[in-house]
C-alpha cells in the first residue's frame, strides 16, 4: 500500500488545497523562513511547513501532496502529520 492510498479518508475527500485569495506565501531571505502574508498579519512557517504549503496550488489533492512529500522525505512521518496540518490551516481560513 502506498502513501497515496493511506492518506485522508473523510475530512479531505477530493480536496485540492490552495491558498485563500487573501493569503500569500513568501520567503523572507533575511530570516531564512517562509511566511504566510495575510491582511494585517504575518504567520512565520517553521520547519517544513513552507514546503508543504508550497504544494497547495489547487492541482494536487491531499494524498498527492503527501505522496510528493514522502518521495522528498522518506523517513519523515508525513502521512501521519500532513493531513492534520492542512486541515488546521483550512480551519484558520488560510487554505480553501
Amino acid at each position: 500500500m502506498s502513501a497515496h492510498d493511506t492518506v485522508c479518508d473523510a475530512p479531505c475527500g477530493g480536496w485540492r488545497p490552495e491558498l485563500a485569495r487573501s493569503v500569500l506565501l513568501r520567503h523572507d531571505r533575511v530570516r531564512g523562513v517562509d511566511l504566510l502574508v495575510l491582511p494585517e498579519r504575518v504567520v512565520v512557517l517553521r520547519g517544513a511547513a513552507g514546503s508543504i504549503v508550497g504544494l497547495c496550488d489547487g492541482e494536487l489533492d491531499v494524498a498527492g501532496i503527501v505522496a510528493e512529500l514522502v518521495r522528498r522525505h522518506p523517513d519523515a512521518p508525513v502521512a501521519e502529520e500532513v493531513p492534520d496540518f492542512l486541515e488546521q490551516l483550512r480551519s484558520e481560513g488560510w487554505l480553501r
Side-chain angles (χ1 to χ4, degrees):
M1 187 177 294
S2 72
H4 196 274
D5 296 330
T6 61
V7 178
C8 272
D9 293 322
C12 301
W15 179 40
R16 296 178 182 276
E18 63 182 313
L19 290 173
R21 285 185 172 90
S22 61
V23 179
L24 299 172
L25 177 63
R26 295 288 183 250
H27 183 75
D28 181 337
R29 285 179 282 189
V30 174
R31 292 189 281 177
V33 296
D34 292 311
L35 308 169
L36 284 181
V37 180
L38 303 104
E40 301 183 27
R41 183 173 178 188
V42 173
V43 177
V44 177
L45 300 173
R46 305 247 184 247
S51 64
I52 296 167
V53 174
L55 292 172
C56 296
D57 59 5
E59 296 296 317
L60 294 173
D61 63 6
V62 174
I65 292 169
V66 168
E68 175 59 24
L69 291 168
V70 165
R71 187 187 68 74
R72 293 181 189 180
H73 311 285
D75 297 328
V78 173
E80 296 82 24
E81 296 179 2
V82 170
D84 290 339
F85 173 69
L86 295 175
E87 208 37 69
Q88 182 180 6
L89 294 182
R90 178 160 65 170
S91 72
E92 291 285 344
W94 303 339
L95 290 178
R96 57 184 178 134

